[in-house]
Amino acid sequence: MFRQVKALRWWIIGLVMMGAIINYLTRSTMGVAAPTLMDDLGLTTQQYSWITSAFQLGIMMQPAAGYVLDTIGLKTGFAIFATAWSLITIAHGLANSWPVFAALRGALGLAEGSANPAGMKAVSEWFPARERGLAGGVFNMGASVGSMLAPPLVAWAILTYHWQAAFFITGAMGLVWVVLWLFLYRSPDKHPALSDEEKRHIAEGRETHLDSDGSKPSLIRILRQRNFWGIALPRFLADPTWGTLAFWVPLYLTTVRGFDLTQIAMFAWLPFVAADLGCLFGPTLVLFLQKRGVSLINARRGAFTVGAMLMIGVAFVGFVDSPYLAILLLCLGGFAHQTLSVTVITMSSDLFRRNEVATATGMAGTFGNLGVLLFSLLIGGLVTTVGYAPFFVALAVLDILGAILLWTLVKDPGRAGPRVGHGDDVSTLAQAKP
């Protein structure tokens, strides 16, 4: 059935990226449809914040998704989760009140929380260390592309049919991808299209101390590691930027900048195009620094810091008069966020064994989505009194704090030895070098 394919690993990450595109397209559908949906059903801004918060509560269960993927395998696990999120998205088109939407969003978050753990597990299994950053960047482009496709596709569905059709269409696209995934994906040790040469290339470029030890992932063991907190806390501080772009910017452009649905279709996707470029810029910057003698971990921390500094531009979104300049600054935010986000997400594959990468990624994702949840609740509760401007300022400040924590907590294997990240107990934090 299969014949050997050159550079199969890149085709595989392309397939995973397609899954991420569908994942973020379905989760972004609500944000784009929100102005029309809220008007049709008479929902308030506060109720909408509860709906988005339900999604964040669901997606905070990423550790469970990661554990399932590490335990039953990537192929079966990801297919189950993708089928679930596709059917739940379709069910959104049948909802008619905010409590029903909230329940569906919570279930959707639970299923869609599998995307990042699945992507990083695929990266850790299919790529040598030197290529993991770029592979992670390609996978994370799926988040940007999916979010980019949502405004024009959802606006078209609403203008041509109704807001319910947007959920039916995006959910059906997910089911099509599941069929492709089940037919095309195999693990590296079982894929008949993987050549012996490429198999050696993958194996020889891996760190031996990150090989699977055959045990089930332990949440307690991961939580005791200093490096886990070094990536989880920066994600807690940085991820609200993505939540704001996906869930609140369409509403901001409508209520503050006076955009109609056609203008949202024209402009709301642009920050996600910039985010795509950030997905590639982050890994490229890491490789640039490595070629100049910077260790892998320090190069990743450097790329995160560059992204955090670029986020300063987002602080001015609420203060500029021109709506088009505001869009430009939001594009800078998308670029900056993905520059740093893809960097810190990829670090889980640098610091944890391959049999615990998905679990560790999911646990860090829980903290990231907790940040989105709290930030979204603050926006929903305060935006009518203080406006959006303070929240854009906060996004820039939070990312700079995240960079400080990344440099403070994560240990560099180049200085600390090959086993860093395994047994680096939090109790030894005071004695360990930053």
Side-chain angles (χ1 to χ4, degrees):
M1 183 182 298
F2 290 92
R3 64 178 182 178
Q4 290 189 348
V5 177
K6 187 176 181 180
L8 178 63
R9 63 194 184 281
W10 294 105
W11 290 98
I12 290 294
I13 205 62
L15 179 63
V16 177
M17 183 185 75
M18 287 178 59
I21 290 173
I22 302 297
N23 182 284
Y24 278 84
L25 173 60
T26 53
R27 75 171 67 180
S28 299
T29 300
M30 172 66 81
V32 180
T36 303
L37 185 152
M38 291 172 67
D39 183 64
D40 190 22
L41 299 180
L43 305 182
T44 66
T45 302
Q46 183 74 67
Q47 289 170 336
Y48 178 67
S49 73
W50 292 336
I51 292 171
T52 60
S53 297
F55 177 86
Q56 296 309 135
L57 285 172
I59 207 168
M60 283 169 60
M61 297 302 293
Q62 276 189 356
Y67 185 85
V68 170
L69 293 168
D70 278 331
T71 303
I72 70 174
L74 182 57
K75 180 177 180 176
T76 302
F78 204 21
I80 291 172
F81 285 119
T83 301
W85 86 54
S86 300
L87 295 175
I88 294 167
T89 298
I90 292 172
H92 277 60
L94 306 176
N96 58 8
S97 66
W98 79 260
V100 176
F101 271 114
L104 289 172
R105 295 303 284 181
L108 185 69
L110 179 62
E112 291 198 329
S114 60
N116 276 337
M120 290 317 304
K121 187 171 182 64
V123 168
S124 69
E125 290 182 353
W126 277 92
F127 289 87
R130 186 172 182 82
E131 296 176 351
R132 282 201 302 261
L134 182 57
V138 171
F139 155 69
N140 276 280
M141 283 179 66
S144 308
V145 173
S147 302
M148 176 187 72
L149 291 175
L153 178 60
V154 173
W156 168 82
I158 293 173
L159 292 172
T160 305
Y161 304 104
H162 39 67
W163 61 262
Q164 292 94 334
F167 293 103
F168 296 151
I169 292 170
T170 54
M173 292 171 66
L175 295 176
V176 172
W177 179 84
V178 171
V179 175
L180 290 175
W181 173 257
L182 290 172
F183 179 72
L184 295 175
Y185 186 80
R186 306 284 189 281
S187 60
D189 58 327
K190 297 178 181 178
H191 208 300
L194 182 65
S195 68
D196 292 338
E197 180 183 3
E198 186 172 7
K199 189 177 296 185
R200 285 193 301 270
H201 173 76
I202 295 170
E204 291 171 358
R206 287 176 170 175
E207 308 94 329
T208 56
H209 69 280
L210 296 181
D211 287 341
S212 171
D213 60 7
S215 64
K216 290 185 177 180
S218 167
L219 273 64
I220 299 300
R221 183 172 68 179
I222 293 172
L223 285 171
R224 292 183 63 208
Q225 294 176 28
R226 165 182 174 152
N227 281 336
F228 169 75
W229 296 101
I231 61 176
L233 294 179
R235 288 202 61 184
F236 171 78
L237 297 172
D239 278 21
T241 295
W242 192 262
T244 302
L245 290 174
F247 301 137
W248 289 99
V249 162
L251 201 58
Y252 166 74
L253 294 176
T254 302
T255 58
V256 178
R257 298 294 179 173
F259 283 29
D260 58 25
L261 188 59
T262 302
Q263 288 173 308
I264 289 177
M266 292 173 60
F267 294 104
W269 56 276
L270 292 175
F272 301 108
V273 176
D276 278 337
L277 299 177
C279 285
L280 298 178
F281 176 73
T284 301
L285 181 57
V286 170
L287 287 175
F288 174 84
L289 294 173
Q290 281 189 277
K291 289 179 180 178
R292 281 149 184 81
V294 180
S295 68
L296 175 61
I297 296 301
N298 279 341
R300 296 215 196 282
R301 292 193 285 203
F304 187 102
T305 303
V306 169
M309 298 306 295
L310 290 174
M311 277 294 297
I312 293 174
V314 177
F316 298 96
V317 169
F319 299 101
V320 297
D321 292 329
S322 170
Y324 303 106
L325 182 54
I327 290 289
L328 181 63
L329 292 174
L330 288 170
C331 289
L332 176 62
F335 176 85
H337 175 72
Q338 284 298 76
T339 294
L340 62 85
S341 179
V342 67
T343 301
V344 72
I345 291 174
T346 303
M347 288 180 74
S348 62
S349 65
D350 303 321
L351 301 171
F352 295 93
R353 296 186 185 277
R354 275 177 278 281
N355 61 307
E356 59 187 13
V357 165
T359 304
T361 303
M363 292 170 66
T366 292
F367 282 86
N369 285 288
L370 175 61
V372 177
L373 168 64
L374 297 178
F375 202 80
S376 186
L377 287 173
L378 286 173
I379 293 178
L382 298 175
V383 71
T384 56
T385 55
V386 304
Y388 283 89
F391 295 101
F392 290 122
V393 174
L395 293 176
V397 174
L398 291 173
D399 279 0
I400 293 173
L401 292 176
I404 293 172
L405 287 176
L406 192 68
W407 281 98
T408 303
L409 294 178
V410 173
K411 297 190 70 176
D412 184 357
R415 293 169 49 194
R419 290 188 58 81
V420 65
H422 301 281
D424 185 20
D425 197 297
V426 170
S427 65
T428 66
L429 186 61
Q431 292 78 28
K433 294 181 180 179

